[in-house]
Amino acid sequence: MNNCGENNILLFAEGLKKSFAGKTVLDIGELTVRGGESVVLSGENGSGKTTLLKILAGLLRPDSARALAFAGCERYPRGAPHSSYLHQSPYLFSASVRANVEYGLRRAGLPGEKRKQKAEDAMRWAGVLHLASARADRLSGGEQRRAALARIRALSPRLCLLDEPLAHLDEEGIKRAEELIPQLRKGGCAVVTATHKPFADATQQWRLQNGKLICEQ
């Protein structure tokens, strides 16, 4: 797919279908995400939002797709190495916040000092640097969400896929998350957020209904 690298297109899908137990969950004609965009994905509970995000993250295979390309790659990379997916209940290891944030950097083979600096910059950005030595799995819900966002920020992905990032947060937690999420777009990162709450900086509005994706600019 030669045109996927043009016009700043980061992600392109066409004819994407997914079913479970014989029931069609997704039957999407086409979708496009460009670098630096903010896309808000809405839909009723059970409409397929999480399924779509996992497919776009490379964590789940569609049943079929005429095209599914990332950054001009005709074949979608398994695990989508340039994307980061945040589950609505982020999984954090039973280790320090620092260890959790450094995990992806360590796997990427980043040297120790550089890894430490990137992790500290990300924790500072997310407002959890003071919790660097705390057990991540013992933090409050809002703190865990910020630690998970710091882990994403440290990896500098080109695409962030966020599944209900404001769910189960108190008013202060929602406010902090709403401040951080738009900042992920700096540096050209595109953000797709499944949420029932509108984002002021959204460049596209997607809505899932009966498996179909309705796109509103």
Side-chain angles (χ1 to χ4, degrees), residues 86-92 125-126 128 136 139-152 162-170 173-174 176-178 180-181 184 194:
L86 178 66
H87 192 275
Q88 54 187 288
S89 299
Y91 177 78
L92 296 171
W125 167 83
V128 293
L139 301 179
S140 69
E143 290 168 341
Q144 287 189 358
R145 202 69 55 91
R146 296 206 308 276
L149 285 170
R151 185 165 57 189
I152 287 176
L162 312 179
D163 194 353
E164 298 288 355
L166 307 180
H168 312 302
L169 295 182
D170 59 19
I174 291 173
R176 295 294 296 272
E178 285 181 328
L180 292 174
I181 291 169
L184 289 170

Side-chain angles (χ1 to χ4, degrees), residues 20 39 45 60-61 81 90 96-97 111 139 156 170 202 216:
F20 292 106
V39 181
N45 291 337
L60 183 66
R61 289 187 178 278
S96 69
V97 170
L139 301 179
S156 303
D170 59 19
E216 304 168 355

Side-chain angles (χ1 to χ4, degrees), residues 10-11 54-59 68-71 73 75-85 104-105 107-108 151-161 189:
L10 182 64
L11 179 66
K54 286 185 175 181
I55 289 174
L56 298 183
L59 301 174
L68 183 52
F70 183 86
C73 298
R75 201 171 171 187
Y76 201 77
R78 180 176 291 184
H82 300 297
S83 73
S84 289
Y85 170 72
L105 301 173
R107 290 202 61 177
R151 185 165 57 189
I152 287 176
R153 170 73 175 228
L155 292 170
S156 303
R158 297 180 65 184
L159 175 66
C160 293
L161 300 145
C189 177

Side-chain angles (χ1 to χ4, degrees), residues 9 22 66 69 91 127 132 136 138 142 170 193 198:
I9 292 177
R66 289 193 297 274
Y91 177 78
R138 294 180 179 174
D170 59 19
T193 308

